[in-house]
Amino acid sequence: KNQVEQSPQSLIILEGKNCTLQCNYTVSPFSNLRWYKQDTGRGPVSLTIMTFSENTKSNGRYTATLDADTKQSSLHITASQLSDSASYICVVLTDSWGKLQFGAGTQVVVTP
Amino acid sequence: EPEVTQTPSHQVTQMGQEVILRCVPISNHLYFYWYRQILGQKVEFLVSFYNNEISEKSEIFDDQFSVERPDGSNFTLKIRSTKLEDSAMYFCASRTGVGYTFGSGTRLTVV
């Protein structure tokens, strides 16, 4: 069964600190893995996209890693800001028609 | 930056009524999608649309659902007879290559 599992479910971090979110997937076929940021009541916004041959990709303070052998990915947020408070969702693109398989997300709360 | 536009942002409807959710995808995109997110749950795929026909649909997308691209710019999702469990956030998305852009969603509340 195609699944995308994320951990932790939620976390609270102090402004300025770093954090790392985890994603495990058992999706086949695999085309690429994406991390999205979703603010409450809004649509997901893409942070990074990685194919199976890419190990790491950065977008500002966000750095994603991918291990296609173990089917694991992580998203590292550096020097968190209050505006980073959101749900971070790991998503796998599964087929040629572009169907996305979503994880449940990690709810990140950054406090002053 | 090009956007996917969805209207309305919020719709309340009575159970059994028909609703049409509207989307204007990015103009040069070729693939169009509808996803939904029930409150507190993960985003789920509903349907993909390419070359004026459905290319793939999920088990959720039963006979009560239909999609249309009536005029080359709009992309609509129709729910024929809404149920309480259809209450959710509905996201439209469009894609070209690896680029995938979501709209801000329509919150559908069925009462």
Side-chain angles (χ1 to χ4, degrees), chain A residues 99-112:
Chain A
K99 174 182 169 183
L100 296 179
Q101 185 83 30
F102 283 75
T106 293
Q107 188 68 42
V108 173
V109 175
V110 181
T111 62

Side-chain angles (χ1 to χ4, degrees), chain A:
Chain A
K1 185 182 176 182
N2 286 340
Q3 284 193 325
V4 179
E5 304 288 344
Q6 292 188 243
S7 62
Q9 192 173 19
S10 63
L11 68 94
I12 301 173
I13 57 172
L14 288 175
E15 187 178 10
K17 298 298 186 182
N18 304 334
C19 67
T20 300
L21 317 178
Q22 302 292 339
C23 173
N24 298 314
Y25 62 93
T26 55
V27 176
S28 182
F30 171 87
S31 180
N32 57 59
L33 185 143
R34 303 150 180 258
W35 282 93
Y36 282 87
K37 178 184 179 185
Q38 185 179 25
D39 293 310
T40 302
R42 306 287 295 175
V45 175
S46 181
L47 296 175
T48 62
I49 302 172
M50 288 182 292
T51 64
F52 68 90
S53 61
E54 295 176 291
N55 299 120
T56 185
K57 185 160 282 189
S58 291
N59 177 2
R61 295 179 297 101
Y62 301 105
T63 299
T65 66
L66 174 65
D67 185 332
D69 291 331
T70 61
K71 298 187 177 180
Q72 295 180 326
S73 177
S74 67
L75 181 71
H76 187 76
I77 305 175
T78 304
S80 59
Q81 300 176 357
L82 296 177
S83 58
D84 292 334
S85 294
S87 180
Y88 291 83
I89 310 175
C90 177
V91 185
V92 176
L93 193 148
T94 67
D95 61 28
S96 59
W97 295 118
K99 174 182 169 183
L100 296 179
Q101 185 83 30
F102 283 75
T106 293
Q107 188 68 42
V108 173
V109 175
V110 181
T111 62

Side-chain angles (χ1 to χ4, degrees), chain B residues 2-4 24-30 32 69 72-73 94-96:
Chain B
E3 288 184 342
V4 173
V24 179
I26 293 173
S27 59
N28 64 339
H29 284 191
L30 301 176
F32 312 108
R69 189 158 159 79
S73 61
S94 68
R95 177 176 78 92
T96 182

Side-chain angles (χ1 to χ4, degrees), chain A residues 3-5 32 34 36 38 41-46 49 89 93-105, chain B residues 31 33 35 37 41-45 48 50 55-58 89 91 95 97-105 107:
Chain A
Q3 284 193 325
V4 179
E5 304 288 344
N32 57 59
R34 303 150 180 258
Y36 282 87
Q38 185 179 25
R42 306 287 295 175
V45 175
S46 181
I49 302 172
I89 310 175
L93 193 148
T94 67
D95 61 28
S96 59
W97 295 118
K99 174 182 169 183
L100 296 179
Q101 185 83 30
F102 283 75
Chain B
Y31 300 84
Y33 306 87
Y35 289 82
Q37 186 175 30
Q41 298 186 21
K42 62 176 70 173
V43 177
E44 302 172 288
F45 169 78
S48 60
Y50 171 75
S55 48
E56 189 175 3
K57 60 183 180 179
S58 71
M89 194 80 162
F91 293 107
R95 177 176 78 92
V98 297
Y100 217 114
T101 304
F102 283 85
S104 293
R107 179 166 297 286

